[in-house]
Amino acid sequence: MSKIMKIVLLEANNLGEDMVFTPFFPLGEVKIYPSTSPEEMPERVRDADIIVANKLPMCEKTLKDAENLKLICLTATGINNLDGEYLKKRGIRACNVAGYSTDAVAQHTFAMLFYVWEKLRFYDDYVKSGEYTKSEGFSYFKENFYELSGKTWGIIGMGAIGRKVADIAEAFGCRVICYSATGGTYQLPENRKQVDFETLLKESDILSVHAPLNEKTQGLMDMKAFEQMKKTAVLINAARGPIVDQESLYRALTEEMIAGAALDVLEKEPMAADNPLARIQDSKKLLITPHMAWAPVETRFRCRDEVVKNIQAFLAGEDRNRVY
């Protein structure tokens, strides 16, 4: 393509304030906005050939005046903010980035688990408060915790991240079982077993969610699901917030249906002030991190580079990571 492309980055801050955007500059005329609201979007994309965005809605309401638009590049894997039918009708291509955060999300999954599983906040506070200096013994056993070895780790969504989590869980001595919400059949090694949802809930000591958000997974972890779990179980969600019903999780934790939960994602982000989970201040029972599992420095810069490669491929007449 000989025409100079107008490239608009709408949510630059979502890649971090330390992000460097110079790799985009050789690709065209680049305009960078730290953040953009849906209301601001139509004017900002009016002359764009290429949009780089994260969570903004890509639909007729926001894109109808962008007559030159040819390509949407997401700085994310999830594509539920794309109106695929509208994009196909307009002939607008869309690309995501896949696989860039596998190691990071798996790492954060275990960081969250251990914080809750081993009651780390409680014991850290005990030492920092000065109480340990008054102890008569060298150990303190106020809060029990348990070995991972021999436990059953259940996984919802055995994609790249789910498989990485399974590998690490097995290294700790866990038995791994998994469930596909879409009903697909996984190709698994002999030591892993695909089970139905009821079996997954009843047998898992740790249950981690690594599935995309769709009509099959939205609200999957509801009250009925929590009622079938072990009272000693811990839930981890490092996927998409709406997969876990927050009111149900609040009840499950406060009524001691399960032992704990660790979440990196919520139904609404940033967290809504009236989110019932905000009322749980016990860090032995609940940990919430602000959607940061994907955010190590290397991972964010890798995400940027993947978007640059998607644009380079498009300019060369090729498809790369195309979803529409």
Side-chain angles (χ1 to χ4, degrees):
M1 296 183 181
S2 57
K3 177 180 179 291
I4 296 177
M5 295 285 108
K6 292 186 177 181
I7 304 170
V8 179
L9 282 69
L10 293 171
E11 301 174 88
N13 280 356
N14 279 4
L15 286 173
E17 294 182 3
D18 59 343
M19 183 52 58
V20 177
F21 293 99
T22 50
F24 287 95
F25 296 164
L27 304 178
E29 178 185 321
V30 180
K31 179 69 175 179
I32 300 174
Y33 295 100
S35 63
T36 299
S37 68
E39 293 73 27
E40 294 171 322
M41 191 175 158
E43 181 58 34
R44 292 184 176 183
V45 304
R46 186 180 299 274
D47 298 324
D49 295 291
I50 299 171
I51 292 172
V52 179
N54 186 278
K55 294 189 177 301
L56 285 167
M58 299 292 158
C59 58
E60 183 173 7
K61 184 176 180 180
T62 56
L63 301 177
K64 60 183 176 61
D65 296 326
E67 297 181 356
N68 299 326
L69 186 60
K70 303 169 182 64
L71 176 68
I72 296 168
C73 286
L74 298 180
T75 58
T77 302
I79 61 172
N80 47 293
N81 60 324
L82 301 180
D83 183 340
E85 291 304 314
Y86 176 72
L87 298 184
K88 285 187 282 188
K89 184 174 70 174
R90 286 275 311 273
I92 300 169
R93 300 184 189 186
C95 301
N96 70 347
V97 284
Y100 73 99
S101 65
T102 299
D103 290 344
V105 176
Q107 172 180 304
H108 194 70
T109 296
F110 282 85
M112 291 194 297
L113 171 73
F114 289 129
Y115 184 92
V116 175
W117 187 260
E118 296 204 354
K119 315 295 194 298
L120 294 182
R121 172 66 183 271
F122 173 83
Y123 285 111
D124 186 39
D125 286 348
Y126 171 73
V127 173
K128 285 187 168 65
S129 71
E131 288 300 309
Y132 188 39
T133 65
K134 306 170 188 175
S135 175
E136 295 181 359
F138 66 89
S139 289
Y140 188 56
F141 307 107
K142 181 70 173 179
E143 290 290 337
N144 290 332
F145 59 98
Y146 304 91
E147 294 180 353
L148 274 186
S149 182
K151 302 299 185 294
T152 296
W153 190 301
I155 296 175
I156 299 175
M158 192 63 92
I161 295 172
R163 292 195 302 272
K164 185 74 175 184
V165 168
D167 291 342
I168 301 170
E170 287 171 347
F172 276 105
C174 292
R175 165 187 175 244
V176 172
I177 59 176
C178 63
Y179 168 72
S180 170
T182 61
T185 301
Y186 296 123
Q187 298 299 314
L188 301 172
E190 290 184 4
N191 56 314
R192 297 176 192 173
K193 184 179 179 182
Q194 184 170 349
V195 298
D196 59 39
F197 192 45
E198 181 178 346
T199 301
L200 182 90
L201 296 171
K202 289 183 176 179
E203 295 189 4
S204 295
D205 296 294
I206 302 99
L207 177 56
S208 61
V209 183
H210 306 289
L213 177 63
N214 54 44
E215 67 279 359
K216 298 285 189 180
T217 59
Q218 183 157 359
L220 180 67
M221 294 304 300
D222 57 10
M223 187 54 58
K224 183 179 178 181
F226 290 120
E227 288 171 345
Q228 297 180 75
M229 293 179 69
K230 295 181 180 181
K231 290 184 179 297
T232 54
V234 172
L235 172 75
I236 305 167
N237 186 8
R240 289 292 180 265
I243 296 175
V244 177
D245 181 77
Q246 293 174 169
E247 288 283 353
S248 297
L249 178 58
Y250 174 79
R251 280 191 56 195
L253 290 170
T254 56
E255 297 177 18
E256 299 186 349
M257 296 179 189
I258 63 172
L263 312 175
D264 186 54
V265 288
L266 298 167
E267 289 181 10
K268 182 179 179 182
E269 298 170 351
M271 188 176 189
D274 62 353
N275 188 320
L277 297 174
R279 301 198 292 270
I280 300 178
Q281 296 295 302
D282 185 354
S283 293
K284 302 186 301 297
K285 184 168 290 187
L286 175 65
L287 168 67
I288 299 175
T289 55
H291 204 141
M292 53 178 281
W294 71 283
V297 171
E298 303 93 332
T299 314
R300 291 185 287 110
F301 277 76
R302 188 181 305 118
C303 179
R304 176 206 64 185
D305 292 342
E306 286 295 303
V307 173
V308 169
K309 291 175 183 178
N310 286 344
I311 296 175
Q312 289 172 333
F314 172 75
L315 296 178
E318 303 167 0
D319 285 334
R320 185 176 188 274
N321 291 323
R322 184 174 175 181
V323 293
Y324 289 112

